[in-house]
Amino acid sequence: MTSRTVRGCCPLDCQDSCAWLAHVEDDRVVRVVGAPDHPITRGVLCAKVRDYETRLDAPDRLLHPLLRTGTKGRGLFQRITWDEAVSHIAERYGAIIAHHGAEALLPVNFAGSLGVVQRRALMRLFHALGASRFHGSVCGQSGNALAAEGHALGFDPEEVADSRLVLLWGTNLLTTAPHGWHFIKAARERHGARVICIDPRRTRTAAASDEHVSIRPGSDAVLAAGLAHVALQEGLADLGCAGAAASDFDAFCEQIAPWTPERVAQLCGIGPDTVVRLARELAGARPAVIRVGIAPQQTQHGEALVRLLSALSILGGHPTRRGGGLLIEASPDFHDARVARPDLLPSPTRSFDMARLGETLTNGALSPPIKGLMIWGTNPVVTQPDTARVRQGLSREDLFTVVIEHVPTDTVAFADIVLPSTMQLEHFDVQGAWGHHYISVNHPAVAPQGEAKSHGEILRLLARGMGLTEPALQESDEEIAEAALPVGLELGALKERGWIKCSPVRSTPASKVKLCVGDGVLLPASTPSPGHLQLLTPKGHFFLNTTFADMPRHRHSAVRPTLQMSRGDAEVRGLTDGGLVEVRNTGGAIFVHLAVVDGMHPGVVALPGKWWNMSTARLGSAVNDLTLPAWSPAGQPAYNEIFVEVVSPPPISSSISLE
């Protein structure tokens, strides 16, 4: 028996971007473990990834190209060869370009893999063709907009060990990015730092914190305004830092003045004394970190919240001290967007909002209409808002859709051609992170299963099939990846070491950022009708967005789709713990089991995890059917502004099984 150990990294859309070691015996990966020498990973992988090797031979693994044989959405295919698949795609894309122009093609991709080859390489093809493009994001777009203005939204998370107060705002780190807890623990041990968690639910993270403050979802911006009000009224603010950083400090003080503790407390569902105490603790800690999750941004006022959190950080003077500031995202000096080679565009092309796919595909006024798609690294039939319209668009018979995937997701069912993609243990790649400052390499541990190919290889095949001769379309995967590296970092050194820290200059607020909220509106844009509850759809402990929702161990660990509800809300509705319930609004309905839990804010329910095909045969609805189309001004989908009725199901549903 031969054995070896191969360095790699987790590709998933998680802030931790862990380094791992794949143990290979006789050309088979027998286990994957966290790299013990990596300062973030420290030898530990999360509950999602600890048996990643089982993904290689998952029961539903896609191993060959497929051609649709049935109605779109039914997932009926026949096996074809790669030559046939490439020829078919080249012919159909060529015909679309000839009849409608290249802008009738649209690539659809996101962060299913953070590796630059898997995520970005295929964009070279569409840029060279002159296809339409996407902009924006399905999550975190509010933060992206504020970062573009110059607000400092991150720093090296290893500095958190020097914080004196850790304010966790709408983040469940122990589920979504557990390795960040290393540095919170260090701050407690070194400096006696207090850890306060603001969250409508009593999550794993809230339970591990020193204090849990439960507020109404969507009232985050109101609370931030209230904390700023107290800091200014009581003379706790660092006026030097604020005056140097803000272009509109006087106007900001006027805008914050009406947000008294009493008013804020009523709107947030907490006591006025809590507002005052939080403000004093935040202002008094030198330094404090405001560690914020992505979820609080996901409202129609997402930018207002991020702006006010930046203001709170500035008022405390925290960004000027090691271990202090606002921490939403943190990335190394890394240039993954360069890998896509936007310079290949023959001329500027139109761009569509990524979070409005359903609208784009069903817009009859588009000229030219979208006639060809390629989808990779995302499962929009489950993850997009307004999924009923996404399905409607993908069901068009005049739309030619190619999906590149590992397993038959709900989106694959709408494909005309399916191409099998390699998994992380089967290909070379390089990636940065959005939660720390390390760049990592991923070496292939084993040969690809079946006929799966890397996205770099798919790029090369399609470019040749379409007769494209641009040299960038024939570069090797290593050459593609090398384009992302910063000046001075050689690919050879990265390949040898496995990971290298490349910290950018510590970000402090750019000179004279704007603190005032444009229209001054902080209250939620939507409110529940009588009898309705606000539905949250947080990330699950065993799924990463929709990844792993097909895996037997992960599904078993997650048990079943379960709606969490407070005891009082359940009693009012006559609902029992463990029973089947119907969750519905004008968008659709789903059937799930009920869990009566402690620590849930009244009037709020939560459905963790993005389960696939949560629908029943009778209704055919998925959870994001309940997410009605609403966005922030910058384009952030308002996933948190979902209001539903929760009732006992009709008798016909008694036969439904969601085990």
Side-chain angles (χ1 to χ4, degrees):
M1 181 177 69
T2 61
S3 62
R4 54 196 172 91
T5 301
V6 180
R7 282 191 177 272
C9 56
C10 177
L12 301 179
D13 186 14
C14 165
Q15 290 193 303
D16 290 356
S17 289
C18 287
W20 68 30
L21 300 175
H23 292 268
V24 182
E25 295 180 359
D26 291 338
D27 295 321
R28 180 174 177 269
V29 180
V30 294
R31 68 183 183 281
V32 177
V33 299
D37 55 347
H38 191 276
I40 305 296
T41 309
R42 301 188 181 192
V44 178
L45 296 179
C46 72
K48 305 170 182 66
V49 180
R50 59 177 172 80
D51 57 352
Y52 192 86
E53 69 277 4
T54 63
R55 292 284 284 168
L56 290 175
D57 50 9
D60 56 348
R61 177 82 191 268
L62 294 170
L63 298 175
H64 310 282
L66 302 174
L67 174 70
R68 177 170 66 91
T69 58
T71 304
K72 288 192 175 187
R74 293 191 63 194
L76 299 176
F77 300 97
Q78 67 181 30
R79 178 177 170 179
I80 58 176
T81 67
W82 268 101
D83 286 345
E84 290 171 324
V86 169
S87 176
H88 195 67
I89 294 168
E91 179 182 348
R92 290 296 301 270
Y93 280 179
I96 289 169
I97 293 171
H99 288 87
H100 303 282
E103 286 189 316
L105 298 176
L106 179 65
V108 179
N109 67 93
F110 198 55
S113 171
L114 295 180
V116 294
V117 178
Q118 294 299 97
R119 185 177 185 185
R120 305 286 190 181
L122 283 160
M123 284 304 303
R124 295 185 175 197
L125 174 70
F126 291 95
H127 283 148
L129 291 172
S132 293
R133 295 168 291 149
F134 263 148
H135 63 265
S137 177
V138 293
C139 65
Q141 180 58 18
S142 295
N144 295 342
L146 270 292
E149 289 186 21
H151 288 262
L153 305 187
F155 57 89
D156 185 348
E158 294 177 75
E159 290 186 19
V160 171
D162 289 321
S163 300
R164 272 59 172 182
L165 173 70
V166 180
L167 184 58
L168 300 171
W169 199 307
T171 181
N172 184 12
L173 283 184
L174 291 177
T175 281
T176 61
H179 296 81
W181 198 259
H182 295 318
F183 310 111
I184 295 173
K185 182 180 178 182
R188 278 174 158 171
E189 294 171 348
R190 294 180 189 177
H191 307 293
R194 261 177 50 81
V195 181
I196 301 172
C197 182
I198 299 173
D199 200 297
R201 304 185 303 139
R202 188 163 180 79
T203 62
R204 293 170 186 261
T205 304
S209 300
D210 297 306
E211 181 180 358
H212 173 211
V213 179
S214 177
I215 65 172
R216 290 192 183 105
S219 67
D220 304 80
V222 170
L223 178 56
L227 300 184
H229 171 98
V230 173
L232 290 167
Q233 288 294 309
E234 296 192 357
L236 304 175
D238 185 332
L239 299 182
C241 180
S247 62
D248 56 353
F249 184 59
D250 291 341
F252 176 74
C253 293
E254 292 180 13
Q255 190 176 71
I256 292 301
W259 295 99
T260 64
E262 292 75 21
R263 182 186 181 197
V264 168
Q266 183 179 17
L267 293 168
C268 294
I270 58 178
D273 57 326
T274 300
V275 179
V276 173
R277 180 175 49 77
L278 285 176
R280 290 172 178 170
E281 287 196 58
L282 182 60
R286 292 292 188 270
V289 57
I290 306 173
R291 180 74 165 85
V292 184
I294 299 299
Q297 302 178 32
Q298 296 178 344
T299 73
Q300 293 179 67
H301 295 312
E303 291 90 82
L305 170 62
V306 178
R307 191 178 301 279
L308 284 164
L309 292 173
S310 178
L312 275 181
S313 175
I314 291 168
L315 287 176
H318 303 304
T320 64
R321 298 175 174 87
R322 178 180 172 82
L326 179 60
L327 179 53
I328 298 178
E329 298 185 17
S331 297
D333 181 12
F334 190 66
H335 310 285
D336 63 329
R338 286 199 313 222
V339 173
R341 294 291 303 272
D343 59 296
L344 296 177
L345 280 165
S347 60
T349 58
R350 62 183 179 176
S351 181
F352 296 102
D353 190 329
M354 180 185 299
R356 296 175 182 255
L357 179 61
E359 181 180 304
T360 300
L361 295 181
T362 57
N363 184 352
L366 283 183
S367 181
I370 300 301
K371 290 289 188 176
L373 293 180
M374 183 173 286
I375 302 174
W376 71 92
T378 185
N379 186 10
V381 169
V382 178
T383 60
Q384 282 263 339
D386 196 16
T387 49
R389 190 147 51 156
V390 173
R391 291 196 303 274
Q392 177 188 348
L394 290 174
S395 297
R396 287 170 36 204
E397 283 296 332
D398 67 328
L399 178 69
F400 176 68
T401 301
V402 179
V403 178
I404 306 174
E405 256 298 356
H406 300 140
V407 291
T409 65
D410 290 357
T411 300
V412 164
F414 291 85
D416 293 286
I417 294 281
V418 181
L419 301 178
S421 172
T422 47
M423 290 184 176
Q424 190 77 341
L425 293 166
E426 300 170 325
H427 57 237
F428 175 86
D429 217 329
V430 168
Q431 68 188 54
W434 61 281
H436 57 68
H437 288 171
Y438 293 87
I439 299 172
S440 303
V441 70
N442 184 78
H443 293 287
V446 290
Q449 295 267 21
E451 296 181 290
K453 297 186 183 299
S454 77
H455 295 186
E457 180 61 17
I458 295 173
L459 164 69
R460 294 184 286 273
L461 287 172
L462 290 175
R464 288 195 292 269
M466 298 189 72
L468 301 175
T469 58
E470 163 60 47
L473 306 183
Q474 291 302 323
E475 288 186 346
S476 69
D477 287 6
E478 290 196 7
E479 290 173 317
I480 293 170
E482 196 167 17
L485 300 183
V487 174
L489 177 57
E490 298 295 330
L491 182 60
L494 180 62
K495 289 171 63 177
E496 182 178 350
R497 292 182 56 185
W499 45 267
I500 294 176
K501 189 173 187 178
C502 292
S503 292
V505 175
R506 196 189 199 284
S507 178
T508 55
S511 179
K512 302 302 182 183
V513 294
K514 178 186 173 186
L515 301 186
C516 281
V517 174
D519 56 10
V521 177
L522 306 182
L523 296 173
S526 305
T527 55
S529 303
H532 282 61
L533 299 162
Q534 189 164 0
L535 173 64
L536 304 180
T537 56
K539 292 185 178 181
H541 195 71
F542 299 99
F543 302 163
L544 197 294
N545 298 323
T546 70
T547 302
F548 302 119
D550 64 314
M551 295 297 290
R553 193 273 294 176
H554 296 75
R555 291 177 66 90
H556 177 77
S557 298
V559 184
R560 59 192 181 188
T562 301
L563 186 76
Q564 299 170 346
M565 180 184 287
S566 71
R567 195 169 306 278
D569 285 329
E571 289 176 353
V572 166
R573 290 163 176 76
L575 303 174
T576 57
D577 185 43
L580 195 66
V581 294
E582 181 180 2
V583 185
R584 66 192 186 193
N585 63 12
T586 57
I590 58 175
F591 293 96
V592 294
H593 287 271
L594 182 69
V596 177
V597 298
D598 296 323
M600 180 70 70
H601 199 89
V604 180
V605 290
L607 183 60
K610 300 296 187 292
W611 292 76
W612 295 3
N613 194 24
M614 281 181 47
S615 60
T616 68
R618 185 166 65 87
L619 289 175
S621 298
V623 65
N624 270 332
D625 281 2
L626 308 178
T627 307
L628 302 181
W631 298 268
S632 74
Q636 172 57 50
Y639 293 112
N640 288 341
E641 294 178 8
I642 311 173
F643 301 98
V644 297
E645 292 181 286
V646 182
V647 298
S648 296
I652 190 173
S653 66
S654 61
S655 62
I656 297 168
S657 174
L658 297 175
E659 300 295 338

